[in-house]
Amino acid sequence: QKWSFASLLLLVSSLVIVGICVYLFVYGTHKIDTSLVDSGHVTKNDALFKNYDIAYPIFHVEKVDMMVRNYTTHQVDDFLRSLGSNKNDPQAQLTIKYTIMHYDTHTVTIVFHKREKLPSKSEELSHNSVTYDLREQKQLKLIDIFKDRTTANKLFGRILHDYFQHSESDKFTPGELEHLANSKLENIQEFVLGNDAIILYVDPHQPILMQEDKTISIKKDLLSTVLSDAFIAPNP
């Protein structure tokens, strides 16, 4: 009864402010809002050729952003070189879009979707998956996330062999399955490093190439003995 209404209101307001601050500290500092990712475009600075549209993500991580931009710029350079003297041909077109497959405080995986049309040739579609370590600011290969690479190679080879051996949608020859069993992680670059699993894009006929209809998701629990500690626990 000794408390005045103004004092009580001040106390309640203070508690609310403290609560908001605690919430922001506990949750806000450990979460990334993907809406903060900007989109960049390769500048069409060629005076003659205009038929390309290239987009790429910007994460405001200096070295990662530079690698992403370099990747898309090189795609344009390769396309222009392949045109040769046909730069002015209106049939020539190049489009690159992207999808962010996974994004946390440690890693990001981007799939670039390329649509390419050269004069007198049919349109070609391709996809390329790239994973970056945001902390170390470098591109990650699948082999980089393991502490015991020899054992990891054997384990992955066995998993790929057994998975596709029992595949109901496709049947593979013993030779193809043996090829899978001898797959080298150093050659597999198309993957998504998720919180609970690792997704591989694998073609049993050519294990180092990405094929959207040949995916395999491997739970991290199966790989806990060979995964590096930094990649075992989920990241916000």
Side-chain angles (χ1 to χ4, degrees):
Q1 293 179 351
K2 296 182 179 179
W3 284 80
S4 66
F5 178 80
S7 300
L8 186 59
L9 182 61
L10 179 61
L11 176 61
V12 172
S13 301
S14 300
L15 291 174
V16 170
I17 292 173
V18 170
I20 292 174
C21 292
V22 170
Y23 177 87
L24 292 176
F25 177 78
V26 173
Y27 294 97
T29 58
H30 296 287
K31 289 188 177 181
I32 291 180
D33 183 356
T34 54
S35 65
L36 298 178
V37 179
D38 294 324
S39 184
H41 297 270
V42 175
T43 304
K44 301 179 181 181
N45 54 10
D46 192 297
L48 299 177
F49 187 76
K50 300 291 184 181
N51 296 339
Y52 58 87
D53 181 17
I54 315 297
Y56 58 90
I58 299 174
F59 301 97
H60 304 286
V61 180
E62 183 179 2
K63 292 182 180 179
V64 171
D65 288 343
M66 180 179 66
M67 287 186 286
V68 171
R69 178 173 173 80
N70 286 344
Y71 169 83
T72 52
T73 301
H74 289 159
Q75 296 296 313
V76 173
D77 292 341
D78 290 343
F79 179 70
L80 295 178
R81 277 194 294 270
S82 66
L83 287 176
S85 59
N86 297 320
K87 284 188 177 181
N88 297 325
D89 195 318
Q91 293 184 5
Q93 292 185 344
L94 174 67
T95 302
I96 296 180
K97 305 298 181 182
Y98 66 88
T99 302
I100 298 178
M101 300 296 294
H102 179 79
Y103 183 27
D104 62 34
T105 58
H106 192 179
T107 64
V108 60
T109 298
I110 313 162
V111 174
F112 291 98
H113 312 281
K114 181 168 72 171
R115 183 185 301 270
E116 185 177 75
K117 177 68 173 68
L118 296 175
S120 303
K121 292 186 178 180
S122 58
E123 185 178 77
E124 293 186 2
L125 301 177
S126 62
H127 309 274
N128 186 33
S129 168
V130 189
T131 297
Y132 296 100
D133 187 322
L134 298 174
R135 296 175 184 172
E136 299 295 330
Q137 299 197 35
K138 65 180 183 180
Q139 183 175 346
L140 277 178
K141 295 183 179 180
L142 184 59
I143 194 66
D144 294 333
I145 67 176
F146 297 101
K147 59 185 177 184
D148 186 342
R149 298 186 173 191
T150 301
T151 305
N153 262 316
K154 293 179 180 178
L155 181 58
F156 262 86
R158 177 50 54 192
I159 290 174
L160 291 175
H161 175 281
D162 292 353
Y163 177 82
F164 286 107
Q165 183 182 39
H166 296 92
S167 173
E168 296 181 359
S169 58
D170 295 291
K171 300 300 179 183
F172 304 99
T173 66
E176 290 170 340
L177 293 173
E178 186 65 23
H179 193 184
L180 282 169
N182 294 320
S183 298
K184 299 297 183 184
L185 293 178
E186 293 89 337
N187 296 329
I188 301 177
Q189 298 185 23
E190 308 289 353
F191 68 97
V192 177
L193 182 60
N195 276 337
D196 303 313
I198 298 172
I199 301 172
L200 304 183
Y201 299 92
V202 178
D203 181 352
H205 307 287
Q206 294 178 297
I208 65 172
L209 297 181
M210 172 182 176
Q211 297 291 331
E212 283 191 314
D213 59 343
K214 298 290 185 296
T215 61
I216 176 172
S217 179
I218 304 173
K219 289 289 187 180
K220 284 185 176 180
D221 292 344
L222 294 175
L223 309 170
S224 58
T225 58
V226 293
L227 270 176
S228 296
D229 294 340
F231 299 104
I232 292 178
N235 290 282

